[in-house]
Amino acid sequence: MIKHTILFVAIVTLLGACVQNNTTEDKNLPILGNREVVNGDTVYHKVPDFSFINQDSQVINNATFKDKAYLVDFFFTTCPSICPKVKQQMLRIYDKFDGEARLGLMSHTIDTKHDSVPVLKRYADDLGIPSGKWHFVTGDKDKIFDIADEYFIAAIEDANAPGGFDHSGRIILVDKNRHIRAFGEGTDPESIDKFMVQIQQLLDEM
Amino acid sequence: MKCKLTFLVFTVLTISILACDRQVNQQGKRLYITYCASCHMENGEGLRQIVPALTDKDYLHRHREEIPCMIREGISGPMVIHGKEYDRQMPGLPELNNVAIHNIVNFVFQSWGNDIIKMNLDEVNRHLEECASERDMK
């Protein structure tokens, strides 16, 4: 009986190892989201054009990330719920890929009323982020909520939620063609461990 | 025989008191994780110059009496933690009762090498009453 159990565990472990190997052997990350076939070509979900203002009053748009992969998240500076944890994980990614010119970072505020350019500037300074490396952006509120949908991020204004907004703590990886390739749960350091491997995979693919 | 029984009772009592004490800490930890850790982090390190760490022993010593009120009512205005200035707002937790605040305070006082003498519940009650009456006067 014990022998059988050991054999069973061994087989399961081996199978598990095989499955894992297969996923790591698959070099390219998948393209996430809906896809359509138009005239025989597959059309993937693509993040539409955007234009926001960062903490240094610079316009940040799709041209900012031309030929780059980039990461996005949504937050607000007075958020008492998940944001600090997500920011801590974004900082881990920022530190790990510091000096990697092919990767951009952009955090959108969802509290556009409070989080003006100077408020975002102070936040970036207090996080210890030098200018130009990580864009903390604000803009038209509807446009920010609309683009959150495009990144598959849930964000809603809710008076009952802590701080007045309810939103997901996901960090999204977008490639240079503005396709969404992977995401990490910003509230879970282990998820971000895996996510950082995926970010490297995408950079290797470029 | 009597001696043995006394010893048994004494042992059982000691163990239950110790177990009870540990449970209080567990309670404090649970509350801390639920109400505080999302900003101050599970290891109390905070977030850069945005959320102060809870590991500045000097600060905790000097402001010992104010800490229960900070948890209940929140705090704003500049403060210096580990030599760095912080000036953001911390929201209060009015939904927590005195016992819960007592548990959180002692969890913080006894965690991450802080090693600060615990506060008893009477002390916590008194400080909370003081800040409530100060607020009413305003």
Side-chain angles (χ1 to χ4, degrees), chain A residues 37-88:
Chain A
V37 178
V38 180
N39 301 330
D41 289 327
T42 310
V43 179
Y44 295 98
H45 174 79
K46 186 179 172 181
V47 176
D49 287 357
F50 57 85
S51 181
F52 300 116
I53 303 285
N54 77 357
Q55 72 269 33
D56 296 310
S57 300
Q58 292 166 323
V59 174
I60 301 300
N61 55 25
N62 23 288
T64 312
F65 302 112
K66 189 175 181 288
D67 296 328
K68 284 184 186 187
Y70 66 97
L71 297 169
V72 296
D73 75 339
F74 292 77
F75 83 115
F76 55 110
T77 63
T78 54
C79 165
S81 56
I82 57 172
C83 308
K85 278 202 167 161
V86 178
K87 282 288 162 287
Q88 196 191 35

Side-chain angles (χ1 to χ4, degrees), chain B:
Chain B
M1 181 63 199
K2 205 178 172 187
C3 186
K4 257 189 179 171
L5 192 72
T6 319
F7 178 73
L8 191 73
V9 169
F10 180 75
T11 314
V12 167
L13 266 176
T14 314
I15 290 173
S16 42
I17 287 169
L18 283 176
C20 183
D21 194 41
R22 191 170 295 163
Q23 200 150 18
V24 169
N25 266 326
Q26 281 304 318
Q27 183 80 347
K29 183 176 181 176
R30 203 174 53 79
L31 288 161
Y32 176 83
I33 300 283
T34 309
Y35 292 97
C36 318
S38 56
C39 294
H40 291 286
M41 308 296 159
E42 282 177 32
N43 59 3
E45 72 176 346
L47 179 67
R48 301 274 171 108
Q49 234 168 306
I50 300 211
V51 181
L54 301 177
T55 51
D56 185 335
K57 278 192 204 183
D58 287 346
Y59 184 92
L60 294 174
H61 267 301
R62 272 184 284 121
H63 298 267
R64 178 185 171 87
E65 299 180 354
E66 300 156 42
I67 289 172
C69 294
M70 287 183 192
I71 297 172
R72 174 161 292 165
E73 306 200 341
I75 184 170
S76 57
M79 56 168 73
V80 176
I81 308 278
H82 286 310
K84 281 193 252 169
E85 192 177 288
Y86 291 80
D87 190 6
R88 287 178 186 274
Q89 209 171 353
M90 175 175 91
L93 293 164
E95 65 268 42
L96 294 182
N97 64 25
N98 292 14
V99 175
I101 290 177
H102 173 233
N103 279 329
I104 293 176
V105 169
N106 284 335
F107 173 73
V108 170
F109 278 7
Q110 297 279 301
S111 295
W112 318 302
N114 280 341
D115 210 18
I116 288 176
I117 301 164
K118 282 189 183 179
M119 220 182 244
N120 63 41
L121 185 57
D122 287 343
E123 217 183 323
V124 172
N125 289 340
R126 198 174 67 239
H127 296 320
L128 287 171
E129 233 168 78
E130 280 163 11
C131 67
S133 54
E134 265 175 44
R135 192 190 54 228
D136 291 343
M137 268 159 59
K138 278 178 197 168

Side-chain angles (χ1 to χ4, degrees), chain A residues 49-164:
Chain A
D49 287 357
F50 57 85
S51 181
F52 300 116
I53 303 285
N54 77 357
Q55 72 269 33
D56 296 310
S57 300
Q58 292 166 323
V59 174
I60 301 300
N61 55 25
N62 23 288
T64 312
F65 302 112
K66 189 175 181 288
D67 296 328
K68 284 184 186 187
Y70 66 97
L71 297 169
V72 296
D73 75 339
F74 292 77
F75 83 115
F76 55 110
T77 63
T78 54
C79 165
S81 56
I82 57 172
C83 308
K85 278 202 167 161
V86 178
K87 282 288 162 287
Q88 196 191 35
Q89 296 307 315
M90 278 287 262
L91 279 166
R92 273 183 71 202
I93 302 172
Y94 171 85
D95 287 339
K96 185 174 163 79
F97 294 95
D98 189 23
E100 175 52 82
R102 295 171 301 167
L103 186 70
L105 276 89
M106 173 163 59
S107 293
H108 306 70
T109 178
I110 50 173
D111 186 2
T112 51
K113 212 173 180 180
H114 177 270
D115 291 344
S116 58
V117 168
V119 170
L120 292 173
K121 174 71 180 164
R122 197 179 139 225
Y123 192 85
D125 286 349
D126 285 350
L127 267 188
I129 307 300
S131 288
K133 289 213 154 188
W134 176 350
H135 304 291
F136 294 84
V137 300
T138 184
D140 183 70
K141 185 177 148 193
D142 290 340
K143 293 217 166 96
I144 286 183
F145 279 80
D146 287 349
I147 202 109
D149 280 346
E150 299 288 343
Y151 291 116
F152 311 128
I153 294 239
I156 47 163
E157 200 163 3
D158 176 2
N160 295 320

